[in-house]
Amino acid sequence: MAELRLQKVLAAAGIDSRRKCEELIVAGVVRVNRKVVDELPAFVDPEKDVITVHGKRIQAARKVYFLLNKPKGVICTNRDPQGRKKAIDLIHTSERIFCVGRLDVGTTGIIILSNDSELANKLTHPRYGLAKTYVVGIKGQITGEQIEKLKKGIWLAEGKTGRASAKILKRGHKESLIEVTIRQGLNRQVRRMLAKVGLPVKSLKRTRIGKLDARGLGVGKFRPLTKTEVAYLNKTTQVQRSAHNV
Ligand code: URA
């Protein structure tokens, strides 16, 4: 296991916030393998090191991973001054979890929640290019030309988006459905890409994250990821993709 910052390990074990844990460390009440550690930065291996706070050994947080089928109106941040329903409220666990990446409040579909910040950072880093697939409801019709533009990449404020997959699932006069796969996770990326090619989004649903999908998972429901799925996610973050634009 990699060495982690001591305050992060304490916070993950439920001692207090990272800031408060830093204060505890500096106050000299934290020991690692019996020695007082009162200077920062300090790094530990929570699987090997014996860490105590006020003489009491901390319990390393168990790593947990869930897949949620997020309903509309639910937010992906852990704090909301407006008091809206949060994705973490839909998961029954005693661990301090957070959303891995984000779906907008109006977007539905699958999202991973976990307390494993190391894996979360990698999964959301564009370097690893994990594919995310969305089914998008569009107002009106869509042309082949618009699909081609989406595939080639769209200029957004951050730069040009990478190559995407895009295909028409249903052509209608009033409404069309398309499927888009992207490998980055810029803020409101799909909505902004579609706006740039003149397509107003009526609905947005994430249907796949890499190999994971919503099969058997009703809206608002969650399930733990299997060991195989967690191993798969760890493996995908070992393979770095090159040639990324954004
Ligand atoms: N792209 C968006 O525009 N919104 C999401 O929620 C996810 C991807």
Side-chain angles (χ1 to χ4, degrees):
M1 168 119 200
E3 296 266 294
L4 301 173
R5 283 179 192 274
L6 180 53
Q7 67 271 32
K8 191 170 157 186
V9 173
L10 295 178
I15 302 297
D16 213 318
S17 67
R18 272 194 216 180
R19 271 278 307 281
K20 291 269 187 246
C21 289
E22 285 175 3
E23 289 171 18
L24 287 173
I25 295 166
V26 175
V29 300
V30 179
R31 285 174 186 253
V32 178
N33 302 327
R34 296 201 181 154
K35 275 197 209 126
V36 171
V37 174
D38 56 5
E39 279 179 11
L40 292 167
F43 296 89
V44 289
D45 180 342
E47 281 176 12
K48 287 200 200 124
D49 295 323
V50 177
I51 305 164
T52 60
V53 178
H54 291 295
K56 199 168 161 231
R57 188 166 179 181
I58 65 156
Q59 296 295 318
R62 183 174 56 101
K63 299 258 175 75
V64 291
Y65 308 86
F66 300 98
L67 191 69
L68 169 72
N69 191 350
K70 186 185 99 60
K72 219 172 169 171
V74 169
I75 60 157
C76 285
T77 47
N78 281 16
R79 275 192 210 143
D80 182 42
Q82 291 177 49
R84 289 169 295 182
K85 195 153 190 81
K86 300 188 281 294
I88 52 168
D89 298 335
L90 300 178
I91 312 265
H92 309 297
T93 177
S94 54
E95 306 299 337
R96 287 152 64 116
I97 55 169
F98 50 85
C99 288
V100 177
R102 274 194 194 175
L103 290 178
D104 303 333
V105 64
T107 303
T108 59
I110 55 168
I111 181 147
I112 297 169
L113 292 100
S114 175
N115 56 355
D116 184 346
S117 44
E118 212 178 323
L119 180 63
N121 287 339
K122 289 185 183 165
L123 287 176
T124 49
H125 198 289
R127 180 195 299 158
Y128 300 102
L130 186 64
K132 281 141 317 229
T133 301
Y134 298 85
V135 171
V136 197
I138 305 287
K139 202 165 163 222
Q141 297 176 26
I142 179 159
T143 65
E145 200 185 326
Q146 285 165 316
I147 288 283
E148 285 313 307
K149 281 188 184 162
L150 290 171
K151 282 189 191 171
K152 282 187 188 147
I154 302 285
W155 281 99
L156 299 178
E158 299 89 337
K160 195 176 179 198
T161 60
R163 292 179 85 80
S165 311
K167 65 177 180 195
I168 299 175
L169 297 179
K170 188 184 126 196
R171 275 179 203 274
H173 270 293
K174 287 196 176 151
E175 197 184 359
S176 307
L177 269 189
I178 61 170
E179 187 181 77
V180 180
T181 301
I182 56 171
R183 291 181 178 275
Q184 303 128 329
L186 301 174
N187 190 28
R188 298 176 70 81
Q189 182 169 339
V190 175
R191 292 177 198 274
R192 287 193 290 148
M193 286 170 69
L194 288 160
K196 277 275 172 131
V197 297
L199 293 170
V201 171
K202 274 187 80 178
S203 63
L204 183 58
K205 176 163 84 177
R206 181 152 72 189
T207 53
R208 283 200 300 278
I209 303 171
K211 288 202 298 203
L212 308 181
D213 62 33
R215 234 173 300 168
L217 207 55
V219 177
K221 301 286 182 220
F222 72 94
R223 66 168 176 83
L225 292 185
T226 64
K227 280 196 174 140
T228 314
E229 287 169 333
V230 175
Y232 154 73
L233 292 173
N234 274 301
K235 204 162 163 218
T236 56
T237 58
Q238 281 156 18
V239 185
Q240 294 190 15
R241 296 174 67 86
S242 53
H244 258 287
N245 300 338
V246 179

